[in-house]
Amino acid sequence: MTIDAKGLLAIRSQILERNDVLSRTTAPQTAAKPDFGNVMQSAMQAVNTQQTRAAEASASYERGETTDIAAVMLQRQKASIGFEATLQVRNRLLTAYKDIMNMPV
């Protein structure tokens, strides 16, 4: 099977036409990328909420309102893990910032 120049140009034009039709029919997906500051702020709020829940659970246990020590300890561990993860992210960000500031210009 031989392909001549006219056949090749016809195939090319068909591909371009189909591409135009497809680009017009599909709406562009413009999903907003999350802002780094907003992501960090929401993460900090989540950690703060978890710590508040842990403090409330501990206070409730101390007042005798609940007797489920396992639930209290679970809340405290969740808060502790969230805090440690946040601390590690902060340390990594500070290290990255220092590395960037020490780069020669």
Side-chain angles (χ1 to χ4, degrees):
M1 176 176 172
T2 60
I3 299 177
D4 59 345
K6 289 182 183 180
L8 195 59
L9 289 175
I11 292 172
R12 181 183 176 274
S13 66
Q14 287 176 354
I15 291 172
L16 290 175
E17 287 174 16
R18 288 181 185 171
N19 189 24
D20 288 339
V21 170
L22 286 174
S23 65
R24 280 186 257 131
T25 57
T26 58
Q29 299 289 332
T30 57
K33 294 182 180 179
D35 183 21
F36 181 77
N38 291 338
V39 170
M40 288 302 294
Q41 184 176 7
S42 65
M44 295 294 286
Q45 288 173 348
V47 169
N48 187 33
T49 301
Q50 190 62 44
Q51 287 185 333
T52 303
R53 286 182 189 155
E56 289 172 357
S58 294
S60 175
Y61 182 77
E62 290 170 0
R63 288 189 302 264
E65 295 172 358
T66 184
T67 58
D68 190 7
I69 187 70
V72 173
M73 293 307 294
L74 185 63
Q75 289 293 331
R76 290 181 59 113
Q77 284 294 65
K78 284 181 184 179
S80 175
I81 290 171
F83 178 75
E84 287 295 323
T86 304
L87 187 63
Q88 291 296 323
V89 169
R90 184 203 71 143
N91 291 342
R92 297 284 174 121
L93 285 173
L94 285 175
T95 302
Y97 176 77
K98 288 178 185 176
D99 290 344
I100 290 171
M101 294 307 292
N102 289 332
M103 285 182 179
V105 179

mmCIF file of all heavy atoms in Angstrom, residues 47-80:
data_model
loop_
_atom_site.group_PDB
_atom_site.id
_atom_site.type_symbol
_atom_site.label_atom_id
_atom_site.label_comp_id
_atom_site.label_asym_id
_atom_site.label_seq_id
_atom_site.Cartn_x
_atom_site.Cartn_y
_atom_site.Cartn_z
ATOM 1 N N VAL A 47 -5.924 20.093 62.910
ATOM 2 C CA VAL A 47 -5.123 19.680 64.073
ATOM 3 C C VAL A 47 -5.652 20.365 65.333
ATOM 4 O O VAL A 47 -5.780 19.730 66.384
ATOM 5 C CB VAL A 47 -3.628 20.001 63.847
ATOM 6 C CG1 VAL A 47 -2.819 19.837 65.120
ATOM 7 C CG2 VAL A 47 -3.067 19.118 62.748
ATOM 8 N N ASN A 48 -5.986 21.632 65.231
ATOM 9 C CA ASN A 48 -6.530 22.354 66.371
ATOM 10 C C ASN A 48 -7.855 21.746 66.829
ATOM 11 O O ASN A 48 -8.089 21.582 68.033
ATOM 12 C CB ASN A 48 -6.716 23.830 66.028
ATOM 13 C CG ASN A 48 -7.125 24.652 67.224
ATOM 14 O OD1 ASN A 48 -6.731 24.373 68.340
ATOM 15 N ND2 ASN A 48 -7.944 25.667 66.978
ATOM 16 N N THR A 49 -8.702 21.389 65.887
ATOM 17 C CA THR A 49 -9.978 20.760 66.223
ATOM 18 C C THR A 49 -9.754 19.432 66.931
ATOM 19 O O THR A 49 -10.431 19.123 67.916
ATOM 20 C CB THR A 49 -10.810 20.551 64.942
ATOM 21 O OG1 THR A 49 -11.031 21.813 64.315
ATOM 22 C CG2 THR A 49 -12.144 19.906 65.250
ATOM 23 N N GLN A 50 -8.809 18.643 66.428
ATOM 24 C CA GLN A 50 -8.520 17.352 67.054
ATOM 25 C C GLN A 50 -7.985 17.531 68.471
ATOM 26 O O GLN A 50 -8.354 16.791 69.378
ATOM 27 C CB GLN A 50 -7.518 16.571 66.206
ATOM 28 C CG GLN A 50 -7.347 15.144 66.631
ATOM 29 C CD GLN A 50 -8.629 14.347 66.502
ATOM 30 O OE1 GLN A 50 -9.337 14.437 65.520
ATOM 31 N NE2 GLN A 50 -8.937 13.567 67.510
ATOM 32 N N GLN A 51 -7.138 18.526 68.681
ATOM 33 C CA GLN A 51 -6.622 18.782 70.019
ATOM 34 C C GLN A 51 -7.725 19.257 70.961
ATOM 35 O O GLN A 51 -7.747 18.902 72.141
ATOM 36 C CB GLN A 51 -5.478 19.784 69.961
ATOM 37 C CG GLN A 51 -4.215 19.197 69.382
ATOM 38 C CD GLN A 51 -3.042 20.150 69.440
ATOM 39 O OE1 GLN A 51 -3.208 21.360 69.446
ATOM 40 N NE2 GLN A 51 -1.847 19.586 69.470
ATOM 41 N N THR A 52 -8.656 20.034 70.450
ATOM 42 C CA THR A 52 -9.785 20.484 71.263
ATOM 43 C C THR A 52 -10.649 19.300 71.672
ATOM 44 O O THR A 52 -11.086 19.210 72.825
ATOM 45 C CB THR A 52 -10.620 21.519 70.482
ATOM 46 O OG1 THR A 52 -9.779 22.606 70.108
ATOM 47 C CG2 THR A 52 -11.778 22.029 71.303
ATOM 48 N N ARG A 53 -10.899 18.395 70.726
ATOM 49 C CA ARG A 53 -11.681 17.193 71.044
ATOM 50 C C ARG A 53 -10.979 16.348 72.110
ATOM 51 O O ARG A 53 -11.628 15.821 73.017
ATOM 52 C CB ARG A 53 -11.890 16.349 69.796
ATOM 53 C CG ARG A 53 -12.881 16.918 68.833
ATOM 54 C CD ARG A 53 -13.061 15.990 67.660
ATOM 55 N NE ARG A 53 -13.848 16.636 66.622
ATOM 56 C CZ ARG A 53 -13.796 16.315 65.342
ATOM 57 N NH1 ARG A 53 -12.989 15.340 64.944
ATOM 58 N NH2 ARG A 53 -14.539 16.942 64.468
ATOM 59 N N ALA A 54 -9.674 16.215 71.992
ATOM 60 C CA ALA A 54 -8.919 15.429 72.975
ATOM 61 C C ALA A 54 -8.997 16.076 74.354
ATOM 62 O O ALA A 54 -9.171 15.386 75.365
ATOM 63 C CB ALA A 54 -7.471 15.288 72.528
ATOM 64 N N ALA A 55 -8.880 17.389 74.395
ATOM 65 C CA ALA A 55 -8.965 18.092 75.685
ATOM 66 C C ALA A 55 -10.360 17.946 76.287
ATOM 67 O O ALA A 55 -10.502 17.735 77.506
ATOM 68 C CB ALA A 55 -8.613 19.562 75.496
ATOM 69 N N GLU A 56 -11.390 18.030 75.456
ATOM 70 C CA GLU A 56 -12.757 17.868 75.945
ATOM 71 C C GLU A 56 -12.991 16.453 76.457
ATOM 72 O O GLU A 56 -13.645 16.246 77.483
ATOM 73 C CB GLU A 56 -13.759 18.207 74.845
ATOM 74 C CG GLU A 56 -13.829 19.676 74.521
ATOM 75 C CD GLU A 56 -14.686 19.955 73.285
ATOM 76 O OE1 GLU A 56 -15.189 18.999 72.650
ATOM 77 O OE2 GLU A 56 -14.838 21.143 72.957
ATOM 78 N N ALA A 57 -12.451 15.459 75.739
ATOM 79 C CA ALA A 57 -12.609 14.070 76.169
ATOM 80 C C ALA A 57 -11.887 13.835 77.489
ATOM 81 O O ALA A 57 -12.420 13.151 78.384
ATOM 82 C CB ALA A 57 -12.077 13.121 75.094
ATOM 83 N N SER A 58 -10.704 14.399 77.642
ATOM 84 C CA SER A 58 -9.961 14.253 78.898
ATOM 85 C C SER A 58 -10.701 14.921 80.048
ATOM 86 O O SER A 58 -10.816 14.346 81.147
ATOM 87 C CB SER A 58 -8.570 14.874 78.764
ATOM 88 O OG SER A 58 -7.801 14.151 77.842
ATOM 89 N N ALA A 59 -11.202 16.111 79.810
ATOM 90 C CA ALA A 59 -11.936 16.829 80.859
ATOM 91 C C ALA A 59 -13.211 16.078 81.228
ATOM 92 O O ALA A 59 -13.576 15.996 82.414
ATOM 93 C CB ALA A 59 -12.260 18.241 80.387
ATOM 94 N N SER A 60 -13.869 15.517 80.240
ATOM 95 C CA SER A 60 -15.080 14.748 80.497
ATOM 96 C C SER A 60 -14.779 13.517 81.345
ATOM 97 O O SER A 60 -15.538 13.168 82.252
ATOM 98 C CB SER A 60 -15.720 14.344 79.170
ATOM 99 O OG SER A 60 -16.829 13.508 79.380
ATOM 100 N N TYR A 61 -13.664 12.868 81.060
ATOM 101 C CA TYR A 61 -13.275 11.696 81.850
ATOM 102 C C TYR A 61 -12.919 12.101 83.282
ATOM 103 O O TYR A 61 -13.287 11.419 84.244
ATOM 104 C CB TYR A 61 -12.095 10.987 81.190
ATOM 105 C CG TYR A 61 -11.665 9.746 81.927
ATOM 106 C CD1 TYR A 61 -12.393 8.573 81.818
ATOM 107 C CD2 TYR A 61 -10.538 9.760 82.739
ATOM 108 C CE1 TYR A 61 -12.019 7.439 82.509
ATOM 109 C CE2 TYR A 61 -10.148 8.628 83.430
ATOM 110 C CZ TYR A 61 -10.892 7.470 83.313
ATOM 111 O OH TYR A 61 -10.517 6.347 84.002
ATOM 112 N N GLU A 62 -12.219 13.209 83.415
ATOM 113 C CA GLU A 62 -11.826 13.674 84.752
ATOM 114 C C GLU A 62 -13.043 14.068 85.589
ATOM 115 O O GLU A 62 -13.035 13.911 86.808
ATOM 116 C CB GLU A 62 -10.865 14.846 84.635
ATOM 117 C CG GLU A 62 -9.502 14.448 84.111
ATOM 118 C CD GLU A 62 -8.629 15.639 83.756
ATOM 119 O OE1 GLU A 62 -9.079 16.797 83.916
ATOM 120 O OE2 GLU A 62 -7.497 15.402 83.295
ATOM 121 N N ARG A 63 -14.086 14.592 84.937
ATOM 122 C CA ARG A 63 -15.305 14.959 85.662
ATOM 123 C C ARG A 63 -16.182 13.747 85.965
ATOM 124 O O ARG A 63 -17.145 13.856 86.700
ATOM 125 C CB ARG A 63 -16.112 15.972 84.851
ATOM 126 C CG ARG A 63 -15.504 17.353 84.800
ATOM 127 C CD ARG A 63 -16.471 18.342 84.168
ATOM 128 N NE ARG A 63 -16.873 17.966 82.823
ATOM 129 C CZ ARG A 63 -16.305 18.417 81.693
ATOM 130 N NH1 ARG A 63 -15.296 19.265 81.761
ATOM 131 N NH2 ARG A 63 -16.743 18.035 80.527
ATOM 132 N N GLY A 64 -15.856 12.594 85.354
ATOM 133 C CA GLY A 64 -16.639 11.386 85.582
ATOM 134 C C GLY A 64 -17.833 11.250 84.659
ATOM 135 O O GLY A 64 -18.689 10.399 84.869
ATOM 136 N N GLU A 65 -17.909 12.084 83.623
ATOM 137 C CA GLU A 65 -19.035 12.026 82.697
ATOM 138 C C GLU A 65 -18.935 10.827 81.753
ATOM 139 O O GLU A 65 -19.932 10.369 81.226
ATOM 140 C CB GLU A 65 -19.121 13.324 81.896
ATOM 141 C CG GLU A 65 -19.432 14.527 82.755
ATOM 142 C CD GLU A 65 -19.336 15.837 81.986
ATOM 143 O OE1 GLU A 65 -18.988 15.808 80.793
ATOM 144 O OE2 GLU A 65 -19.599 16.880 82.592
ATOM 145 N N THR A 66 -17.728 10.362 81.518
ATOM 146 C CA THR A 66 -17.527 9.189 80.680
ATOM 147 C C THR A 66 -16.563 8.245 81.384
ATOM 148 O O THR A 66 -15.708 8.672 82.147
ATOM 149 C CB THR A 66 -16.988 9.580 79.288
ATOM 150 O OG1 THR A 66 -16.891 8.413 78.485
ATOM 151 C CG2 THR A 66 -15.636 10.231 79.370
ATOM 152 N N THR A 67 -16.737 6.965 81.116
ATOM 153 C CA THR A 67 -15.854 5.974 81.726
ATOM 154 C C THR A 67 -15.052 5.214 80.679
ATOM 155 O O THR A 67 -14.324 4.291 81.026
ATOM 156 C CB THR A 67 -16.678 4.959 82.540
ATOM 157 O OG1 THR A 67 -17.629 4.327 81.676
ATOM 158 C CG2 THR A 67 -17.382 5.644 83.695
ATOM 159 N N ASP A 68 -15.172 5.618 79.444
ATOM 160 C CA ASP A 68 -14.470 4.925 78.355
ATOM 161 C C ASP A 68 -13.070 5.508 78.192
ATOM 162 O O ASP A 68 -12.839 6.437 77.424
ATOM 163 C CB ASP A 68 -15.268 5.053 77.055
ATOM 164 C CG ASP A 68 -14.742 4.168 75.952
ATOM 165 O OD1 ASP A 68 -13.838 3.343 76.220
ATOM 166 O OD2 ASP A 68 -15.234 4.297 74.815
ATOM 167 N N ILE A 69 -12.138 4.940 78.941
ATOM 168 C CA ILE A 69 -10.761 5.438 78.904
ATOM 169 C C ILE A 69 -10.122 5.175 77.550
ATOM 170 O O ILE A 69 -9.271 5.951 77.089
ATOM 171 C CB ILE A 69 -9.921 4.834 80.056
ATOM 172 C CG1 ILE A 69 -8.529 5.487 80.137
ATOM 173 C CG2 ILE A 69 -9.773 3.341 79.877
ATOM 174 C CD1 ILE A 69 -8.541 6.884 80.608
ATOM 175 N N ALA A 70 -10.538 4.119 76.875
ATOM 176 C CA ALA A 70 -9.971 3.802 75.562
ATOM 177 C C ALA A 70 -10.303 4.902 74.546
ATOM 178 O O ALA A 70 -9.439 5.309 73.757
ATOM 179 C CB ALA A 70 -10.480 2.456 75.068
ATOM 180 N N ALA A 71 -11.532 5.400 74.591
ATOM 181 C CA ALA A 71 -11.920 6.481 73.666
ATOM 182 C C ALA A 71 -11.143 7.754 73.970
ATOM 183 O O ALA A 71 -10.724 8.470 73.051
ATOM 184 C CB ALA A 71 -13.417 6.735 73.750
ATOM 185 N N VAL A 72 -10.932 8.032 75.243
ATOM 186 C CA VAL A 72 -10.177 9.227 75.638
ATOM 187 C C VAL A 72 -8.738 9.112 75.156
ATOM 188 O O VAL A 72 -8.187 10.053 74.579
ATOM 189 C CB VAL A 72 -10.233 9.420 77.172
ATOM 190 C CG1 VAL A 72 -9.315 10.553 77.602
ATOM 191 C CG2 VAL A 72 -11.666 9.678 77.621
ATOM 192 N N MET A 73 -8.128 7.958 75.385
ATOM 193 C CA MET A 73 -6.742 7.761 74.960
ATOM 194 C C MET A 73 -6.616 7.798 73.436
ATOM 195 O O MET A 73 -5.628 8.307 72.906
ATOM 196 C CB MET A 73 -6.199 6.437 75.504
ATOM 197 C CG MET A 73 -6.067 6.429 77.011
ATOM 198 S SD MET A 73 -5.116 7.811 77.672
ATOM 199 C CE MET A 73 -3.510 7.460 77.028
ATOM 200 N N LEU A 74 -7.619 7.273 72.745
ATOM 201 C CA LEU A 74 -7.601 7.323 71.283
ATOM 202 C C LEU A 74 -7.650 8.766 70.781
ATOM 203 O O LEU A 74 -6.896 9.142 69.870
ATOM 204 C CB LEU A 74 -8.775 6.519 70.719
ATOM 205 C CG LEU A 74 -8.837 6.379 69.212
ATOM 206 C CD1 LEU A 74 -7.619 5.610 68.702
ATOM 207 C CD2 LEU A 74 -10.102 5.676 68.795
ATOM 208 N N GLN A 75 -8.503 9.579 71.392
ATOM 209 C CA GLN A 75 -8.575 10.998 71.011
ATOM 210 C C GLN A 75 -7.241 11.703 71.274
ATOM 211 O O GLN A 75 -6.770 12.493 70.456
ATOM 212 C CB GLN A 75 -9.698 11.707 71.784
ATOM 213 C CG GLN A 75 -11.089 11.330 71.361
ATOM 214 C CD GLN A 75 -11.403 11.813 69.955
ATOM 215 O OE1 GLN A 75 -10.878 12.807 69.476
ATOM 216 N NE2 GLN A 75 -12.263 11.079 69.277
ATOM 217 N N ARG A 76 -6.634 11.399 72.402
ATOM 218 C CA ARG A 76 -5.352 12.033 72.733
ATOM 219 C C ARG A 76 -4.253 11.589 71.775
ATOM 220 O O ARG A 76 -3.411 12.394 71.381
ATOM 221 C CB ARG A 76 -4.980 11.720 74.175
ATOM 222 C CG ARG A 76 -5.896 12.426 75.171
ATOM 223 C CD ARG A 76 -5.492 12.117 76.579
ATOM 224 N NE ARG A 76 -4.114 12.533 76.819
ATOM 225 C CZ ARG A 76 -3.767 13.505 77.639
ATOM 226 N NH1 ARG A 76 -4.696 14.175 78.293
ATOM 227 N NH2 ARG A 76 -2.500 13.813 77.815
ATOM 228 N N GLN A 77 -4.254 10.324 71.381
ATOM 229 C CA GLN A 77 -3.246 9.833 70.438
ATOM 230 C C GLN A 77 -3.436 10.455 69.061
ATOM 231 O O GLN A 77 -2.457 10.802 68.396
ATOM 232 C CB GLN A 77 -3.292 8.304 70.342
ATOM 233 C CG GLN A 77 -2.665 7.610 71.520
ATOM 234 C CD GLN A 77 -1.170 7.855 71.593
ATOM 235 O OE1 GLN A 77 -0.702 8.976 71.794
ATOM 236 N NE2 GLN A 77 -0.420 6.799 71.444
ATOM 237 N N LYS A 78 -4.682 10.581 68.636
ATOM 238 C CA LYS A 78 -4.952 11.236 67.349
ATOM 239 C C LYS A 78 -4.428 12.672 67.363
ATOM 240 O O LYS A 78 -3.805 13.130 66.404
ATOM 241 C CB LYS A 78 -6.453 11.243 67.054
ATOM 242 C CG LYS A 78 -7.011 9.929 66.613
ATOM 243 C CD LYS A 78 -8.499 10.088 66.325
ATOM 244 C CE LYS A 78 -9.156 8.793 65.958
ATOM 245 N NZ LYS A 78 -10.603 8.976 65.706
ATOM 246 N N ALA A 79 -4.688 13.379 68.451
ATOM 247 C CA ALA A 79 -4.218 14.757 68.565
ATOM 248 C C ALA A 79 -2.698 14.809 68.574
ATOM 249 O O ALA A 79 -2.092 15.684 67.939
ATOM 250 C CB ALA A 79 -4.783 15.401 69.821
ATOM 251 N N SER A 80 -2.084 13.872 69.265
ATOM 252 C CA SER A 80 -0.626 13.838 69.338
ATOM 253 C C SER A 80 -0.005 13.560 67.972
ATOM 254 O O SER A 80 0.967 14.214 67.575
ATOM 255 C CB SER A 80 -0.190 12.775 70.347
ATOM 256 O OG SER A 80 1.210 12.657 70.350
#
